């Protein structure tokens, strides 16, 4: 039967065509819309597109497709989620072939000592154009119920704050930024059914006057409010206490910690306000430098809030926050369920980890520790007292712990556990009992065979006649995996002792649903390396797997986990899921 002939699919009633297409996933609907004009009209029927979730790179190639889709669906879509991300070359990696954005102080910017690269400026211009395209197409949508915007500008800022000087080069006179802010306020003013408003790291899209555009009925009906932007100035607050009083039906809130004051807790604890269920707080070193903690909630404020909101749970993300500040922030009355540390400059002390395990033992379910600093003098030193490892105590005290993720830079090249293990394997490689046995039966080198086979295939051993099951090739694979590492992973850093990792697995058992530890973060006792009869790596994998009652592997490729490589995006997505899980 012809697809578009007189007696074919085009003769079917539009209602029937729409019903048939409702069973197709969104990508297939877009492909089918190219068949003919009749299908295209049916495929963009509002009932087929109640929700749009878009993930966009800041690339000019995205704009034509984005304009087409937003022009078709922007005026009627009820739920819109858009994530903007800068391209990978902005991270400064040599492999990406680009330069990271320059960093400079205010004096440097004034003196013109640092200049943004042309590619960086072009990406920022493209980012602004894509934001304008999205907001311009939904400005008249009165049916919008959920609006979620995320811009991974943290990539652009990781080597320094984006100053007004840089912004002016990408957007002379700030004309595009003003248009974006006006469009955002127009969307809020035109909304009639908005219940979810989330805006994270969108580079000043939200201003202190934005929420005033919401009518009182809409503000009263909003259930989730998320305003995260560490680019705001010291005297700028995106939502004031007076403004928050209008959001009487708010069940979930996400703010910069420096903007969350004691007065706000009193407003949320008022009997006129519905109980708050989820609170996500971003603690950022940039905000702490420009804003004060003098107005933060004290312990009695938190306890008053939890009395009115008995089911309240808090999710906290700390970017490069000093341990002294964290000890001041972490009040006993906070019902802290999730905490994520991400450090590139500062260190998280063992005292902070110990405090968390003591104060939040009845609430804590998620603990993420990411550390990429060179100087870890203030980081938990698990070699000082191995009988009281703060992470083991965390697993022992926090009975509800279900997710533990740890990444710390490996130690110096000559002293990593990886290197010591390789030397250990090399020393026994030519032992009589191992010289002819395949890897799967060798008592010394019973390491993860599948992983070694993968490494052998990926790196292509120079001698094609080598048997990948034999010990010599296994040692070559381990050495290659180490020497292929970037220099950045060879700095002195934080490690987790293997026997402590085994203890954590045994303490929590199957209840620990996720245990992610990068292999460069794991260290072994010298006694384990000296034992010729036991392979420490295999023993670690075996014992942790037994403790968790499921197969376990250390993370060999950090790039596979967004929790380590894209912390801002991971936090934003987890915050969304955290809030939706009420």
């Amino acid at each position: 039967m012809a697809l578009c002939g007189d007696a074919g699919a085009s003769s079917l009633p539009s209602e029937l065509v729409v019903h048939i297409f409702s069973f197709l996933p969104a990508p297939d609907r877009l492909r089918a819309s190219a068949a003919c004009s009749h299908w295209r009209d049916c495929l963009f029927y509002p009932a087929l597109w109640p929700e749009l979730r878009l993930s966009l790179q800041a690339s000019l190639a995205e704009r034509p497709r984005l304009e087409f889709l937003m022009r078709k669906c922007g005026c009627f879509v009820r739920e819109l989620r858009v994530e903007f991300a800068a391209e990978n070359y902005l991270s400064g990696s040599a492999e990406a072939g680009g330069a990271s954005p320059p960093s400079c102080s205010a004096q440097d910017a004034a003196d013109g000592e640092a200049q943004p690269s042309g590619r960086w400026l072009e990406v920022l211009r493209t980012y602004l154009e894509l934001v304008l395209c999205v907001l311009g197409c939904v400005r008249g949508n009165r049916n919008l119920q959920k609006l979620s915007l995320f811009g991974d500008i943290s990539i652009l800022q990781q080597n320094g704050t984006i100053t007004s000087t840089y912004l002016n080069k990408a957007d002379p006179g700030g004309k595009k930024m003003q248009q974006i802010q006006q469009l955002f306020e127009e969307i809020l003013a035109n909304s009639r059914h908005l219940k979810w408003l989330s805006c994270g790291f969108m580079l000043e899209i939200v201003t202190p006057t934005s929420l005033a555009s919401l009518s009182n009925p809409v503000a009263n009906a909003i259930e989730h409010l998320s305003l995260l932007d560490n680019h705001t100035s010291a005297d700028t607050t995106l939502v004031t206490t007076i403004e928050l009083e209008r959001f009487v039906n708010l069940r979930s809130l996400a703010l910069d910690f420096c903007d969350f004051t004691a007065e706000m807790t009193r407003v949320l604890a008022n009997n006129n306000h519905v109980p708050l269920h989820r609170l996500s707080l971003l603690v950022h070193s940039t905000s702490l430098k420009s804003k004060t903690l003098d107005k933060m909630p004290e312990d009695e404020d938190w306890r008053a809030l939890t009395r009115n909101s008995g089911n309240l749970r808090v999710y906290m993300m700390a970017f490069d926050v000093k341990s002294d500040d964290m000890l001041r922030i972490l009040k006993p009355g906070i019902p802290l369920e999730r905490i994520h540390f991400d450090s590139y400059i500062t260190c998280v002390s063992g005292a902070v980890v110990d405090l968390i395990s003591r104060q939040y033992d009845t609430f804590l379910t998620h603990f993420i520790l990411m550390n990429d600093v060179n100087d870890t003098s203030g980081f938990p030193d698990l070699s000082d007292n191995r009988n009281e490892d703060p992470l083991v105590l965390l697993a022992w005290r926090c009975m509800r712990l279900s997710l533990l993720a740890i990444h710390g830079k490996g130690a110096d090249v000559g002293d990593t556990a990886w290197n010591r293990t390789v030397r250990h394997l090399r020393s026994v490689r030519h032992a009589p009992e191992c010289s002819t046995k395949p890897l799967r039966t060798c008592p010394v080198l019973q390491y993860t065979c599948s992983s070694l086979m993968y490494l052998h295939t990926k790196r292509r051993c120079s001698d094609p006649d080598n048997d990948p099951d034999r010990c010599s090739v296994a040692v070559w694979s381990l050495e290659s995996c180490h020497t292929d590492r970037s220099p950045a992973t060879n700095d002195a850093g934080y490690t987790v002792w293997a026997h402590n990792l085994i203890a954590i697995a045994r303490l929590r058992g199957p209840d620990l649903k996720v245990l992610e530890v990068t292999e460069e973060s794991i260290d072994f006792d010298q006694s384990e390396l000296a034992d010729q009869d036991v392979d420490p790596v295999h023993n670690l994998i075996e014992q942790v797997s037994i403790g968790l009652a499921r197969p376990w592997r250390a993370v060999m490729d950090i790039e596979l986990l967004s929790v380590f490589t894209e912390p801002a995006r991971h936090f934003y997505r987890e915050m969304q899921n955290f809030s939706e899980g009420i």
Side-chain angles (χ1 to χ4, degrees), residues 69-324:
L69 188 59
M70 293 306 302
R71 190 171 60 250
K72 291 288 187 180
C73 304
C75 60
F76 57 75
V77 65
R78 293 195 295 271
E79 297 183 17
L80 177 63
R81 295 190 179 188
V82 185
E83 292 186 3
F84 302 92
E87 293 189 24
N88 291 333
Y89 63 73
L90 289 174
S91 64
S93 63
E95 295 178 0
S100 60
S103 61
C104 71
S105 63
Q107 184 64 36
D108 293 336
D111 295 339
E113 294 180 3
Q115 295 294 328
S117 66
R119 294 185 71 185
W120 179 77
L121 286 175
E122 186 59 34
V123 167
L124 188 53
R125 293 190 189 102
T126 304
Y127 166 80
L128 296 176
E129 289 290 342
L130 295 180
V131 175
L132 277 172
C133 175
V134 171
L135 299 185
C137 291
V138 298
R139 63 194 299 182
N141 188 340
R142 294 175 177 266
N143 296 318
L144 198 62
Q145 297 177 10
K146 276 190 176 183
L147 177 61
S148 176
L149 302 173
F150 170 80
D152 201 357
I153 297 303
S154 59
I155 296 178
L156 297 172
Q157 298 187 85
Q158 63 183 346
N159 286 346
T161 302
I162 300 177
T163 64
S164 57
T165 303
Y166 290 168
L167 283 176
N168 192 56
K169 290 182 178 294
D171 179 25
K175 295 180 179 179
K176 290 182 180 179
M177 282 303 305
Q178 291 177 6
Q179 292 178 26
I180 289 173
Q181 293 168 357
Q182 291 172 1
L183 284 172
F184 185 71
E185 293 181 4
E186 189 175 343
I187 292 171
L188 299 186
N190 290 333
S191 64
R192 295 294 180 269
H193 306 284
L194 194 63
K195 294 184 180 296
W196 182 289
L197 178 59
S198 181
C199 192
F201 310 104
M202 288 296 294
L203 195 61
E204 297 183 341
I205 184 176
V206 183
T207 66
T209 62
S210 297
L211 294 182
S213 303
L214 287 169
S215 64
N216 284 330
V218 174
N220 293 340
I222 285 185
E223 297 179 355
H224 171 83
L225 179 64
S226 171
L227 301 176
L228 301 170
D229 190 353
N230 59 289
H231 190 65
T232 56
S233 58
D235 57 346
T236 300
T237 301
L238 299 181
V239 56
T240 63
T241 303
I242 297 176
E243 192 70 51
L244 192 63
E245 291 178 352
R246 296 201 299 157
F247 296 85
V248 295
N249 202 42
L250 202 62
R251 301 176 184 272
S252 173
L253 177 65
L255 291 176
D256 188 293
F257 183 83
C258 293
D259 294 338
F260 188 69
T261 64
E263 292 183 1
M264 288 187 177
T265 61
R266 289 190 280 272
V267 169
L268 295 172
N270 193 293
N271 291 330
N272 295 329
H273 197 288
V274 301
L276 190 68
H277 290 261
R278 297 290 185 267
L279 177 62
S280 301
L281 297 171
L282 173 67
V283 190
H284 203 291
S285 58
T286 303
S287 298
L288 292 176
K289 290 177 182 177
S290 59
K291 299 180 180 181
T292 179
L293 291 176
D294 294 339
K295 296 182 180 180
M296 72 176 182
E298 297 298 332
D299 191 52
E300 56 270 20
D301 298 314
W302 284 108
R303 295 188 186 281
L305 178 59
T306 54
R307 280 195 296 270
N308 183 63
S309 304
N311 294 323
L312 175 64
R313 296 296 179 265
V314 176
Y315 180 13
M316 192 174 291
M317 173 77 182
F319 278 103
D320 273 326
V321 181
K322 296 179 181 178
S323 292
D324 291 342

Side-chain angles (χ1 to χ4, degrees), residues 424-436 445 471-472 475:
H424 170 70
L425 296 178
R426 186 187 291 114
S427 67
V428 299
R429 177 174 54 182
H430 300 295
E433 68 271 19
C434 298
S435 56
T436 59
L445 293 175
C471 300
S472 59
V475 174

